Structures are given as structure tokens and as C-alpha cells.
């Protein structure tokens, strides 16, 4: 995982516009959350780059507390069936962890999915959907927020 | 202090240890005895406890003279050592450099002044090369910061070495393969350094069972390495992994008022609880901060385990575990309670007379009914509560589960090891997707022994 602090919110927005994948927004306590993929379609075996951006547009500090070292999760499904979850196969430090966003600060988290399901098998070509989960203490936000926001869908093309 | 039964001759008992009676309280059948130099108090007490007619033998503690370390934050910020009775323990031992706490975590700041001269050459099992975050350094300080050095805090064990093993990245995420790498590194360190006793602390957890992790922890226990892990911070009734693996001590978090912290995961697999709320300890940069979580509770117990091994280096992991559990201060009930395990760890009591071990080892071999060959990857469950002592029918409660090894790397193929099974009578079941089986008869697990059984599986 890479974390990049971007002090100027505008800079991060310019950066994300240059990327071509599908996006979905959500908001929690005034903080904007955006889930973004780098492409709308991938060839088989091509890593899926996943980006979660948290932006604090306010002039006050935003603080979230997590019960462990886990600040987010990503879940991939196909036709409503679970395929893969980033946190599977991981443990997390068991101390309470704070995420603090200064005024107009953004944090960017990036992860990669290698097109293998929860049992380690290569997934077939097809249409897939991804959501992000932001387990911030007393609230758990899903991105895109259900049910009103369009899904984040992407395709895997080719043959295995 | 020695107490004998009314029918025993106290003078004869004292004569067997060449002691001198200093005083006697006839109403209590007790005497205070001076031992001849250089007799070991611990060894002598153990000898007395095994003699007929002896009710008890214990050190004559001087209670008002507990060692108070001069670390400036000991009195002003720390409450954990006091709550687990560490100052009284430090009167017996504050540790030994022949013990090592392996901090299987996010890396540590080895330059911290409270670790001066005690950080060993560890490893990084991750691809993350960022500077260590606070977590691992905080955990290491709780277990083994130098005490009575006029600096910062007092760890539970002042002189144990710290073996930093990085398995989590800077944000606190740890993959199963990196954790396995770290656990095995700590075990191999212990194998390569037979004069040292190693305790591994894992202040991390997740919900998923993984066979690779299970094999790594079995490897640890089979090589005399005790593993202690956080129970979890979800406040639910099933401890996370690796704390949930058989043989791993699951440690929950307690509050300053000896309650279970609301976030502390509990359940039948919980071992003990220890301070885990607002714990003051070291962080990178030579400073200190408060943190909360079962991450903070586990290293209190790891420090105590290293104290026990400093005093009694010959104890096995299950003996150390029993010593901690059976001397803990019970909460909630007079014995085990799923909310508190065996209670709040009591460091001084854990350094007292040795208690009998609660645990034995079990190895279940699963074999195919046609080929007779061992079967890897079979699910195995140990059961208690059979309604009949003469058969394995009507099984009612699973106590531990495991899979038989497929690789044979750390455990023989087809064998499922259970390294800390409470003494008692058990049955085992085994299954694959196509076959299943049960032990024909219950088998007995005795303290400190290895019990082997075979399950033949058929369609």
C-alpha cells in the first residue's frame, strides 16, 4: 500500500482527472471519498489498480478512528456473487488507529488486484463490480454509497 | 515459609533441606526457615512441595519493599505494570538476557534509548522499506523497555533481548505469508541460539484461518517457542487468528478497573487478559505516547512469559502458559470465564511455585481407507463432551480444529498437530470433500504428554 499526502486538494483532482477508469463518490462527515480504477477494461491477468482518495475540503481538521490498522477494504463481485476481498489473507495490527486530515488535505491509498479470486484461482473474463468499504469507527461507509449511486463496473477481456 | 500437616514433624522436614528454623507459629503449623547458602529458594520450595506432609512452602516476601523503578513515566503515566503486579515480580527477577521477545510486528525503532543495547538482528519479511510506524516500537516497549534506567518507561521484562521481525507494512496491514515468514524466522532464531529462550508476540489479527499460518505456529510450539497474540478489537465472542490457533495464547485487553475493555474480543479460546487501554509506551524518535488495543495487552503477557523463562528456562511453552493462566487473578468466576479467560495476568504469582501443566499435545494422523496412505488437507476436529466414555458416538462440542499437513515441510503429511490441548478425554473426526471418519474410541490427553491417534476416512 502507498499513502501519499497531497496538501493542495486541487492538485489531486487534476491528477485523478488524468486517469481514465470508472469512479464513484461518497461523503462521510464532510470528507469526500472517491473510489477509482485506472481503466474500464483489462486484459486477462492485467493488474487492476484501485485508488481510494479521501479529501477534506473544510477549513477544519477531520479525524477518523479505526479499531485496528485497517482503514479500508475492497470487494469485487460478479453477477452479485462474491469474488475477492482485499482484506482476505491479511491480519491487521490490533491498536486503535487515527486518520487525520488537515484542512484541504487529501490522502490517497492504492492497492492492486491480480485477477485471482479468494481461493487464488484466476478469474474468467467478464463484467465485474467493485466497492470500497471505509470502516471508520462508529460508521461504515460503502463506496459507492448504496443504493442510489451507480456501481463501479469494469471488464476483463480475452481468454484464459 | 513452610506449613505442614498436624501429623507431620516439621523439624524432620526442615532437616531434609538443611534449614534453620527462625520462628514458629504453632497455631498455623508454620515455620520461617533460613536456607543454607547457596541453596536456591525456588528449587528448595519445589522440593518441599513434593514432600509428604507439607501443606505449602513459599518465599517469605517482604511486601513493603517492592522495587520501584526510577523511570520517570513509571509512576506518572504507566498503570499496566502495577496492575499485573510486576513490581513484586521484579523483586524476584526483572529478567535475563538469555530470554528474547520476538516482536512480530511493523518493525521497531532500534535506536530508542529505552532499548539501548538489547535489540537483536531481526528481519523484514515485507517489501515495505518505510521507517517503522509507532505500533511495533510501542509493543516492544511494553514487553521489554529497559527498567530502572532513569529513562522513559519500565517494560515488564527489563533485560530480555528484543528481536524485531517486520511482517506488517507502515499502515498496519500484514499478509499471511509475511506473518508466516516472521514466525518461522523467530523459531529458526531460537533453534540457532539454543542458550536463549524465545517468546513471540503478535499484536495483530484477522478473521481468516490459513493453513500456512497454522503450520508456522505448530512449528513454533514444536520447537519450544511460546506464541502470544492479541485476541482482537472487534468486541465479539470469537478470537481472531492467529490468537485462535491451537496452542497460541490469546490475550484480551483489561481496563484500569479490571474490566474487560468493551472492544476486547473474547470467547472460549481466550487465555488471559492484560492492560490494554491508554497504555503509555515508546514510539520512534525517542519519545512516548498512549495507545489502546489488545495489541497493547499481549506484550504485557509476553514480558511475563519472558520473566518466567528467566527464572525457569527449562519450562516448555505449555508449562509457561499454564503458569500464567493458573496464577492469573480470576474475574467473573472462580475459574475460566469466556469474558476474561483465566483472569488478569499476575506477574508475581506467575513467578511463584510451579503449577501442574493444564495441557498435553495431540497428533491426529488421517489415513485413507483404501490406500492406507496419510491424507493431507483433511479437516480434523477434536471433540469433548461425549455422552459415553466408551465410544465416540453423540459428540457434542468441538474444542479445536486443524487441517492435516499437505506439504510435509513443517509437519508430516497427513498429520494434524494440536499443541495445547487441555487435559481430558477426546474424540477426533476427520473429513475431506468425499470421505470422513472418527476415532473408534475416546483417547485421554495427559498433562505434558503427546497423545497420538489415527482416523481412517471412508466414503
Amino acid at each position: 500500500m502507498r499513502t501519499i499526502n497531497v496538501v493542495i486538494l486541487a492538485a489531486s483532482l487534476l491528477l485523478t482527472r488524468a486517469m481514465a477508469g470508472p469512479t464513484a463518490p461518497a461523503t462521510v462527515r464532510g470528507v469526500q471519498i472517491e473510489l477509482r480504477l485506472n481503466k474500464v477494461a483489462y486484459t486477462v491477468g492485467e493488474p487492476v489498480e484501485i485508488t481510494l482518495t479521501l479529501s477534506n475540503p473544510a477549513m477544519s481538521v477531520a479525524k477518523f478512528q479505526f479499531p485496528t490498522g485497517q482503514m479500508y477494504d475492497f470487494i469485487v463481485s460478479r453477477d452479485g456473487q462474491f469474488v475477492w476481498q482485499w482484506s482476505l489473507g491479511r491480519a491487521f495490527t490490533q491498536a486503535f488507529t487515527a486518520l487525520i486530515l488537515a484542512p484541504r488535505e487529501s490522502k490517497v491509498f492504492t492497492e492492486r488486484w491480480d485477477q485471482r479470486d479468494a481461493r487464488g484461482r484466476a478469474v474468467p473474463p467478464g463484467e465485474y463490480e467493485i466497492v470500497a468499504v471505509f470502516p471508520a469507527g462508529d460508521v461504515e461507509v460503502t463506496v459507492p454509497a448504496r443504493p442510489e449511486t451507480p456501481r463501479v463496473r469494469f471488464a476483463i477481456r480475452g481468454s484464459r | 515459609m513452610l506449613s505442614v500437616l498436624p501429623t507431620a514433624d516439621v523439624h524432620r522436614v526442615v532437616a531434609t533441606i538443611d534449614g534453620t528454623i527462625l520462628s514458629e507459629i504453632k497455631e498455623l503449623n508454620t515455620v520461617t526457615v533460613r536456607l543454607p547458602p547457596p541453596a536456591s529458594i525456588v528449587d528448595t520450595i519445589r522440593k518441599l512441595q513434593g514432600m509428604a506432609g507439607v501443606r505449602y512452602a513459599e518465599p517469605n516476601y517482604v511486601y513493603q519493599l517492592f522495587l520501584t523503578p526510577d523511570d520517570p513515566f513509571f509512576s506518572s503515566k504507566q498503570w499496566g505494570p502495577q496492575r499485573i503486579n510486576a513490581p513484586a515480580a521484579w523483586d524476584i527477577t526483572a529478567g535475563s538476557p538469555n530470554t528474547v521477545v520476538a516482536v512480530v510486528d511493523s518493525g521497531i525503532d532500534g535506536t530508542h534509548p529505552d532499548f539501548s543495547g538489547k535489540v537483536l538482528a531481526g528481519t523484514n519479511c515485507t517489501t515495505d522499506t518505510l521507517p517503522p510506524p509507532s505500533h511495533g516500537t510501542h509493543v516492544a516497549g511494553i514487553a521489554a523497555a529497559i527498567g530502572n534506567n532513569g529513562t522513559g518507561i519500565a517494560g515488564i521484562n527489563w533485560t530480555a533481548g528484543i528481536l524485531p521481525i517486520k511482517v506488517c507494512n507502515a499502515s498496519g496491514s500484514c499478509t499471511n505469508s509475511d506473518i508466516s515468514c516472521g514466525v518461522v524466522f523467530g523459531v529458526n532464531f531460537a533453534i540457532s541460539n539454543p542458550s536463549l529462550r524465545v517468546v513471540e508476540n503478535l499484536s495483530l489479527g484477522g478473521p481468516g484461518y490459513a493453513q500456512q499460518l497454522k503450520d508456522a505456529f505448530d512449528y513454533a510450539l514444536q520447537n519450544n517457542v511460546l506464541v502470544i497474540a492479541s485476541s482482537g478489537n472487534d468486541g465479539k465472542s470469537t478470537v481472531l487468528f492467529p490468537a485462535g490457533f491451537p496452542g497460541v495464547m490469546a490475550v484480551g485487553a483489561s481496563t484500569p478497573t479490571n474490566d474487560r475493555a468493551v472492544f476486547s474480543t473474547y470467547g472460549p479460546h481466550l487465555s488471559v487478559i492484560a492492560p490494554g487501554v491508554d497504555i503509555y509506551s515508546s514510539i520512534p524518535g525517542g519519545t512516548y505516547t498512549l495507545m489502546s488495543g489488545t495489541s497493547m495487552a499481549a506484550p504485557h503477557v509476553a514480558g511475563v512469559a519472558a520473566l518466567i523463562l528467566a527464572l525457569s528456562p527449562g519450562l516448555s511453552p505449555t508449562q509457561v502458559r499454564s503458569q500464567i493462566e493458573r496464577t492469573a487473578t480470576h474475574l467473573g468466576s472462580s475459574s475460566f470465564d469466556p469474558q476474561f479467560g483465566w483472569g488478569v495476568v499476575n506477574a508475581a504469582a506467575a513467578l511463584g511455585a510451579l503449577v501442574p501443566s493444564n495441557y498435553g499435545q495431540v497428533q491426529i494422523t488421517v489415513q485413507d481407507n483404501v490406500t492406507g496412505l496419510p491424507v493431507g488437507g483433511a479437516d480434523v476436529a477434536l471433540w469433548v463432551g461425549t455422552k459415553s466414555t466408551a465410544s465416540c458416538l453423540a459428540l457434542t462440542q468441538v474444542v479445536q480444529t486443524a487441517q492435516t499437513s499437505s506439504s510435509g515441510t513443517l509437519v508430516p503429511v497427513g498429520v494434524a498437530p494440536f499443541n495445547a490441548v487441555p487435559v481430558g478425554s477426546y474424540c477426533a473426526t476427520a473429513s475431506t470433500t468425499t470421505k470422513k471418519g472418527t476415532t473408534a474410541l475416546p483417547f485421554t490427553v495427559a498433562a505434558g504428554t503427546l497423545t497420538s491417534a489415527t482416523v481412517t476416512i471412508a466414503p
Side-chain angles (χ1 to χ4, degrees), chain B residues 293-322:
Chain B
T294 52
S295 276
M296 284 61 249
H300 281 89
V301 179
V304 172
L307 289 177
I308 294 170
L309 289 169
L311 199 62
S312 304
L315 296 186
S316 69
T318 52
Q319 285 174 311
V320 174
R321 176 179 181 161
S322 293

Side-chain angles (χ1 to χ4, degrees), chain A residues 67 69 89-96, chain B residues 171-174 176 204-205 233 292 295:
Chain A
R90 293 175 187 274
F92 298 90
T93 49
Q94 296 295 311
F96 281 75
Chain B
S171 71
S173 167
C174 339
N176 286 345
L204 50 87
N233 287 359
S292 295
S295 276

Side-chain angles (χ1 to χ4, degrees), chain B residues 224-252:
Chain B
N224 231 15
V225 173
L226 177 64
V227 182
I228 294 164
S230 303
S231 68
N233 287 359
D234 64 12
K236 297 178 181 175
S237 60
T238 303
V239 303
L240 302 183
F241 295 105
F245 287 117
V248 176
M249 283 187 76
V251 180

Side-chain angles (χ1 to χ4, degrees), chain B residues 332-409:
Chain B
S333 72
S334 59
S335 59
F336 181 85
D337 185 307
Q339 297 275 328
F340 311 104
W342 291 96
V344 177
V345 63
N346 184 332
L351 296 182
L354 288 181
V355 300
S357 172
N358 281 356
Y359 300 99
Q361 290 178 284
V362 173
Q363 285 193 348
I364 302 296
T365 301
V366 177
Q367 67 180 20
D368 186 89
N369 68 315
V370 176
T371 66
L373 296 173
V375 179
D379 294 317
V380 180
L382 285 187
W383 300 71
V384 293
T386 58
K387 292 180 179 176
S388 166
T389 56
S391 80
C392 285
L393 301 173
L395 302 172
T396 57
Q397 185 183 0
V398 171
V399 288
Q400 292 185 15
T401 59
Q403 278 190 344
T404 55
S405 174
S406 297
S407 67
T409 307

